[in-house]
Amino acid sequence: MNHNNLGNVAIIIPAFNETVVLTESLKSALTLVSREDLYVVDDGSKDNTLLLALQFTKNILHVPSSQGKAKAINAAIKHFNLVGKYEYILPLDADTKVSPDFLQHTVPVLEADTDEKYICVIGKVNGSSHNWLTSYRMWEYEISQRIHKAAQEKERAIIVCSGCATLYRSSLFSKIEFPTDTVTEDMDLTFLIHRQSLGQIAFAPKATVITQDPFTLSDYINQVKRWNRGFWQCLKKHNAPWGGKMLDFELALSATEGLASGVLVLLLLILSPLIFYKQWSFLAIPFVFDFFIFFLPSIYYTMFVQSNDKIFKYIPLFYFLRGLNSVIFLYSFICSLFHLNKLSKWKHVARYRMEGAI
Amino acid sequence: MYTGFTLLNGFSLYFHVLILATFKCAAMLRPSLTKISNINIFTYRLEFVRE
């Protein structure tokens, strides 16, 4: 039982070389549950992750060589028999700080659902604005969750249950486990839930977590490559968007828009000299349209809801990142189409110390 | 065609804003409507779930 008498919740944190961030993550987890309900998987770490975790809980599963996040969580669920012991399971990332009221906003959704129509509740992922890259990610999180995910919930077609912010009914893991054959196990699991009709997915935006986003451009590119690669892997694996469900409609929408955006960016890069030399100003229409109808309002919206005006000064750099994202999306599609597996390997992202309360 | 292609960039955002706005209006008129069960693009009808 957690501190707030809200359900019977186990928290699992898989960790691979996470000494820099693990303390803050474990401290935040202990604001939700007691030490007995906190489980850590040391996924073959070479640093002091294991010793650090031992200071917070005795429930530690040590895996000699790194297996990856999905296998680590699956192993912990089996090893500690969490399905039999708990009603709910909350997997967190080692670089994630969860808000103290996370369970207050998620558990009641599942408790009130006596017919057990809902299989999980997703919280909202927040970033923290340290530099231009993390500020960009903050803007992306606002748009992708407050608008896209909120609408997808109404359509009953949420395309991804965030890996670091989803409370599951433990019964789910008696039927399926985290898939291990794609690089985005959280999206793959979400597709499985839809395809096998295992239950509905709720979104609770008041339940928040803060995650660490890449600090450097190379880490950022690697992460975006992995996410995009995972997106195409999941589409192929689950025969999307040809399944005839709302999920397929949403995926077709995302894929079409992403590809169109990639082609548009490439075209603009190639044709932009003509805007100046040949005075072909009509080529600038996408820029103007995009800036006033989409980009600027969404930036103001993010600044308002996050009470952060630093974002505004990064607008030119945001355009660079948007272009980069579109090109990576297109590239990963081509790699997926021609079975090039260059992007599927997970690379460890550099961590930085997390400070302060959430 | 060029403008149409431009509109496609960001289309899902406009679509999702429209879904949220439609839902908000529908929920004001009928609070029991909590989810959209289907969008029929041929009849331009939204089919809601009653809870």
Side-chain angles (χ1 to χ4, degrees):
Chain A
M1 186 71 73
N2 66 70
H3 300 332
N4 304 305
N5 294 330
L6 282 165
N8 189 13
V9 181
I11 290 183
I12 309 174
I13 302 182
F16 172 67
N17 293 343
E18 301 284 8
T19 43
V20 177
V21 289
L22 192 60
T23 303
E24 290 298 321
S25 169
L26 291 171
K27 276 183 188 170
S28 78
L30 287 175
T31 62
L32 267 59
V33 298
S34 63
R35 288 170 187 267
E36 290 73 36
D37 301 322
L38 178 62
Y39 297 83
V40 176
V41 190
D42 173 32
D43 191 23
S45 299
K46 304 280 183 254
D47 62 0
N48 290 328
T49 295
L50 180 62
L51 292 173
L52 190 64
L54 276 167
Q55 294 173 22
F56 291 87
T57 179
K58 289 176 185 168
N59 302 323
I60 293 177
L61 176 63
H62 176 65
V63 183
S65 62
S66 181
Q67 305 284 308
K69 183 181 163 185
K71 283 184 182 171
I73 297 174
N74 292 337
I77 290 172
K78 277 190 192 138
H79 181 81
F80 295 109
N81 184 28
L82 300 185
V83 174
K85 285 183 192 166
Y86 293 92
E87 280 177 88
Y88 309 116
I89 294 176
L90 173 62
L92 292 176
D93 285 348
D95 64 343
T96 299
K97 280 167 76 173
V98 61
S99 64
D101 59 355
F102 187 92
L103 297 181
Q104 287 165 25
H105 295 296
T106 50
V107 171
V109 177
L110 298 176
E111 299 264 290
D113 173 35
T114 47
D115 298 337
E116 300 199 1
K117 281 191 288 188
Y118 287 99
I119 198 69
C120 61
V121 187
I122 314 172
K124 181 170 174 285
V125 181
N126 287 328
S128 45
S129 171
H130 291 285
N131 63 13
W132 63 293
L133 288 165
T134 52
S135 297
Y136 178 78
R137 195 42 77 62
M138 183 187 268
W139 169 71
E140 275 192 330
Y141 284 149
E142 285 306 317
I143 303 306
S144 65
Q145 295 177 96
R146 283 190 197 266
I147 297 173
H148 291 294
K149 194 163 273 181
Q152 285 168 1
E153 192 209 16
K154 303 297 180 201
E155 299 169 73
R156 298 199 287 184
I158 286 180
I159 64 173
V160 59
C161 298
S162 318
C164 60
T166 305
L167 180 76
Y168 298 93
R169 283 190 196 281
S170 62
S171 57
L172 175 70
F173 299 106
S174 63
K175 296 168 191 149
I176 54 171
E177 56 181 14
F178 273 94
T180 55
D181 52 345
T182 53
V183 292
T184 46
E185 70 291 326
D186 48 0
M187 180 175 271
D188 202 346
L189 184 79
T190 313
F191 283 23
L192 274 177
I193 291 171
H194 285 290
R195 285 291 188 249
Q196 297 185 18
S197 302
L198 296 172
Q200 292 178 34
I201 300 164
F203 176 47
K206 287 182 182 172
T208 58
V209 304
I210 290 185
T211 191
Q212 271 200 8
D213 295 310
F215 235 50
T216 64
L217 190 59
S218 64
D219 278 349
Y220 177 86
I221 291 171
N222 283 330
Q223 193 186 56
V224 175
K225 276 181 179 176
R226 188 174 67 81
W227 285 355
N228 288 343
R229 173 71 178 157
F231 176 79
W232 293 115
Q233 278 183 331
C234 289
L235 253 66
K236 280 167 85 171
K237 181 179 169 184
H238 297 277
N239 190 34
W242 318 114
K245 288 190 167 185
M246 283 301 288
L247 173 75
D248 297 277
F249 172 73
E250 272 298 320
L251 292 170
L253 200 65
S254 302
T256 311
E257 184 187 83
L259 291 174
S261 181
V263 172
L264 195 68
V265 166
L266 279 180
L267 274 177
L268 283 170
L269 282 174
I270 296 164
L271 300 176
S272 58
L274 297 173
I275 299 172
F276 302 103
Y277 295 119
K278 293 257 184 185
Q279 305 286 308
W280 285 7
S281 52
F282 74 92
L283 288 174
I285 290 172
F287 281 125
V288 177
F289 196 90
D290 176 86
F291 186 75
F292 288 106
I293 306 279
F294 165 64
F295 197 46
L296 202 57
S298 63
I299 290 284
Y300 272 122
Y301 175 74
T302 308
M303 282 165 56
F304 176 72
V305 293
Q306 289 286 338
S307 306
N308 186 330
D309 55 1
K310 268 199 290 183
I311 295 172
F312 199 75
K313 68 178 179 188
Y314 295 130
I315 282 182
L317 292 165
F318 282 13
Y319 265 107
F320 165 71
L321 288 174
R322 284 181 67 197
L324 185 68
N325 278 359
S326 301
V327 173
I328 294 174
F329 193 74
L330 202 59
Y331 174 67
S332 61
F333 171 67
I334 293 164
C335 286
S336 170
L337 206 61
F338 295 105
H339 307 286
L340 305 171
N341 293 318
K342 287 177 188 172
L343 305 171
S344 56
K345 204 173 177 184
W346 185 81
K347 289 179 183 170
H348 197 263
V349 175
R351 304 292 194 209
Y352 49 93
R353 208 165 285 283
M354 298 188 287
E355 283 161 2
I358 189 167
Chain B
M1 190 188 122
Y2 188 67
T3 311
F5 197 56
T6 306
L7 280 169
L8 199 58
N9 186 30
F11 175 75
S12 69
L13 183 87
Y14 310 133
F15 174 73
H16 285 146
V17 169
L18 190 68
I19 290 281
L20 289 175
T22 307
F23 183 80
K24 203 111 187 166
C25 295
M28 275 195 287
L29 296 169
R30 297 271 176 84
S32 61
L33 306 176
T34 56
K35 290 277 184 300
I36 296 163
S37 67
N38 193 22
I39 298 170
N40 191 332
I41 56 169
F42 298 108
T43 58
Y44 303 104
R45 279 188 62 179
L46 286 175
E47 291 159 22
F48 291 95
V49 179
R50 287 175 187 277
E51 286 183 356

